[in-house]
Amino acid sequence: MVNPLLAEEHIVEVGHTYTREISPGMYGNLWYRVFGYRVGFSAWRVIGNCRVRPVGTGIANIPARVEGWRYWETKHPTFRGRKLSER
């Protein structure tokens, strides 16, 4: 059972360091992420004639204590999987 009164808090602290050699002629891409859970929830209400009606639904992102770096190289600069330049 999930409490629908959830708050999301995300804090980025200074001090994360990642060092990697980039291959000649390539562009290095780096992604840092805090992994978590995605939970769906709903609230229901029983009305006077014993029928159940939905009151609200939603999705909550619950952070976990797992975090990490992802590094990859491309021949062109990219953003969200799209090529930014032909150089």
Side-chain angles (χ1 to χ4, degrees):
M1 187 164 188
V2 177
N3 184 346
L5 301 175
L6 296 174
E8 182 177 342
E9 180 178 340
H10 180 72
I11 300 171
V12 177
E13 297 180 10
V14 179
H16 294 287
T17 304
Y18 185 92
T19 306
R20 176 96 180 223
E21 292 289 326
I22 302 172
S23 302
M26 300 293 280
Y27 288 86
N29 300 276
L30 187 63
W31 183 40
Y32 175 78
R33 179 174 178 196
V34 176
F35 299 92
Y37 302 96
R38 191 171 180 126
V39 178
F41 63 90
S42 59
W44 299 82
R45 180 177 180 185
V46 179
I47 56 176
N49 59 2
C50 295
R51 294 182 65 190
V52 179
R53 301 194 79 176
V55 176
T57 60
I59 296 175
N61 294 313
I62 302 171
R65 294 193 173 267
V66 179
E67 57 188 73
W69 298 95
R70 180 173 174 243
Y71 174 81
W72 70 100
E73 293 182 355
T74 56
K75 292 184 180 181
H76 303 279
T78 61
F79 180 71
R80 295 188 179 177
R82 294 185 178 180
K83 189 186 304 183
L84 294 178
S85 172
E86 290 297 326
R87 288 185 1 185

